[in-house]
Amino acid sequence: MSAFARWIKRLVGLAICAILAFFIFAPAALDRQRNPVAEHAPYPISDAARDLHQSLIIGDLHADPLLWKRDLTKRNARGHVDIPRLIEGNVTLQVFTAVTKSPAGQNYDHNDADARDNITLLAIGQLWPLPTWTSLYERALHQAKKLHRFQERSEGRLRIIRTEADLDILLERKRAGHEVVGGLLGIEGAHPLEGDISKLQGLEKAGYRLIALQHFFDNALGGSLHGAGDQGLSAFGRDVVSESVDRGLILDLAHSSPQVVRDVIAMTDVPLVLSHTGIHKACPAKRNLPDALMRDIAATGGVIGIGYWADAVCDASPSGIARAIHSAIEVVGENHVALGSDFDGSVATTFDSSELAALTQAMLDEGLSETQIRKVAGENMLRVLRARLD
């Protein structure tokens, strides 16, 4: 073999090693970068707060761990959510939300519908199945399959919730002392329908029970809070809303434009969810809908999920989140406030799902009553689930 041929062979070998290293190490590095937890000393938890926390039914309306290359059956050193940490944090119900398209930059003020899509690169980089590289619908199905595989390998610690009967079984096992968490599948933005309403049946069959209409950009259903304008529901969007209501699915207004929110309220008579947000009274940011519109959502019997990241609550410490929760109670009432972390949603937080007792302590310190804390922690969310699940 000539020196040139040996050089070419060595170069090819180095290129193959570099490619393999990228696919092995890059996803974990990106996960760490996008979902950091601030370094902190252990949060002080009083005996009273710890006892109260362990007695709570805790639910979280929104987290995105299915997006990342992470074994959720094991305790991970990166990100915010996995089954062991959820159990350690005494979480009873976790909505696992599938992200299928997200624009570069995730600008809260404006995103074009044709902006470069980050999830395509993530799907390729994490070696998702080939159909997911081009189809948003296939990305949703893939993430649902991931959660079902985690359930199969969880040794009973994860139970996917499809029906009210599933919910009852989960709560019975929880009361009996089993280490178990319920997982409910949600879609962040209904663009996986790809303009075809028949695909809603496919998503439901895959296990999805919560449907958000928009994400960071306008889509075929209507306008986004971060889109080109305050567009309302399209004709297709109205069809999807009606079909979702008829199927007993939960409608999520997170990221929807104010006009879409008004349109959905006007055409439905079911409790609506805004899964992850802040409250304008506490944090007057573009990410948060006006307080009057929040009250309109609450008037449907629905709930507002308060998030754990600074762009939504301005102060992402446990005490800052507790203040946002207190403000939300003042705006919409204690029966309509819930938790919606946005864990693993490319946000920085000050704690992960194993440390939720810190938030219980902060709510006590903020002056919330035990009754209010129980409602916010999970009882309000549970009421809406029972109203919608068959």
Side-chain angles (χ1 to χ4, degrees):
M1 182 182 292
S2 68
F4 179 74
R6 287 195 298 271
W7 181 81
I8 291 293
K9 184 177 180 181
R10 187 178 302 114
L11 187 63
V12 170
L14 289 172
I16 292 172
C17 288
I19 292 170
L20 290 174
F22 171 82
F23 286 113
I24 293 170
F25 297 111
L30 183 63
D31 189 358
R32 290 190 183 92
Q33 177 191 6
R34 300 299 296 172
N35 301 301
V37 179
E39 291 188 15
H40 60 274
Y43 291 106
I45 313 295
S46 68
D47 290 342
R50 195 175 304 280
D51 290 344
L52 173 59
H53 186 79
Q54 288 304 121
S55 72
L56 298 174
I57 296 172
I58 300 174
D60 180 356
L61 283 163
H62 189 96
D64 301 322
L66 295 176
L67 189 59
W68 307 99
K69 191 174 183 179
R70 201 186 306 157
D71 184 350
L72 299 186
T73 67
K74 298 178 180 178
R75 200 181 203 286
N76 289 268
R78 64 179 187 269
H80 306 134
V81 170
D82 51 51
I83 305 308
R85 283 187 284 179
L86 288 170
I87 290 172
E88 188 176 337
N90 195 37
V91 176
T92 302
L93 287 161
Q94 177 65 63
V95 176
F96 291 89
T97 315
V99 182
T100 59
K101 183 179 178 183
S102 184
Q106 295 186 333
N107 191 326
Y108 285 140
D109 293 320
H110 173 83
N111 295 284
D112 293 324
D114 59 354
R116 180 172 62 83
D117 172 34
N118 284 337
I119 308 304
T120 298
L121 298 176
L122 196 62
I124 295 170
Q126 296 186 142
L127 295 177
W128 285 10
L130 194 60
T132 68
W133 297 12
T134 56
S135 169
L136 307 189
Y137 180 67
E138 291 295 334
R139 291 176 193 176
L141 296 185
H142 172 66
Q143 290 178 71
K145 290 174 184 175
K146 285 178 69 175
L147 191 66
H148 280 85
R149 287 197 296 268
F150 291 140
Q151 176 182 241
E152 292 167 3
R153 292 166 31 214
S154 72
E155 298 179 339
R157 294 184 301 164
L158 172 65
R159 297 181 67 92
I160 294 176
I161 305 301
R162 293 173 176 261
T163 66
E164 188 175 13
D166 292 338
L167 197 56
D168 289 336
I169 293 170
L170 171 71
L171 295 174
E172 287 173 9
R173 291 181 64 82
K174 187 80 172 177
R175 283 192 293 267
H178 293 277
E179 291 188 339
V180 61
V181 60
L184 190 143
L185 278 162
I187 286 285
E188 185 155 34
H191 29 276
L193 295 175
E194 299 175 325
D196 181 359
I197 198 168
S198 69
K199 289 181 177 176
L200 189 62
Q201 182 177 3
L203 294 178
E204 184 181 6
K205 184 178 179 181
Y208 287 99
R209 292 297 179 269
L210 182 144
I211 306 293
L213 303 177
Q214 280 79 33
H215 195 201
F216 269 96
F217 42 83
D218 302 333
N219 62 14
L221 290 84
S224 164
L225 181 61
H226 328 286
D230 187 17
Q231 300 179 41
L233 282 173
S234 66
F236 178 64
R238 290 179 178 276
D239 289 344
V240 171
V241 167
S242 295
E243 183 75 9
S244 297
V245 170
D246 290 345
R247 289 181 173 276
L249 302 174
I250 302 158
L251 285 172
D252 181 5
L253 299 172
H255 294 288
S256 291
S257 71
Q259 189 56 51
V260 164
V261 173
R262 296 185 193 101
D263 289 347
V264 173
I265 291 172
M267 66 176 292
T268 60
D269 60 356
V270 297
L272 301 170
V273 163
L274 203 165
S275 63
H276 57 301
T277 185
I279 197 80
H280 206 267
K281 179 177 181 179
C283 184
K286 167 69 174 178
R287 179 63 179 78
N288 301 330
L289 291 172
D291 289 347
L293 203 48
M294 294 291 202
R295 284 191 285 268
D296 291 341
I297 296 170
T300 70
V303 288
I304 311 297
I306 301 300
Y308 301 168
W309 78 106
D311 288 328
V313 295
C314 288
D315 175 1
S317 68
S319 60
I321 298 165
R323 283 194 295 274
I325 289 169
H326 196 171
S327 293
I329 290 173
E330 292 174 341
V331 171
V332 302
E334 64 185 45
N335 294 323
H336 304 287
V337 183
L339 303 178
S341 66
D342 202 18
F343 275 151
D344 290 322
S346 292
V347 296
T349 68
T350 63
F351 56 91
D352 67 14
S353 53
S354 70
E355 302 174 284
L356 282 174
L359 182 55
T360 300
Q361 178 71 65
M363 287 192 284
L364 284 172
D365 294 343
E366 180 66 21
L368 272 63
S369 69
E370 180 179 322
T371 296
Q372 289 173 324
I373 292 172
R374 290 188 182 281
K375 289 180 177 181
V376 170
E379 289 180 357
N380 291 337
M381 174 182 173
L382 189 61
R383 184 192 72 246
V384 171
L385 295 187
R386 288 197 180 282
R388 296 301 298 147
L389 296 178
D390 295 331

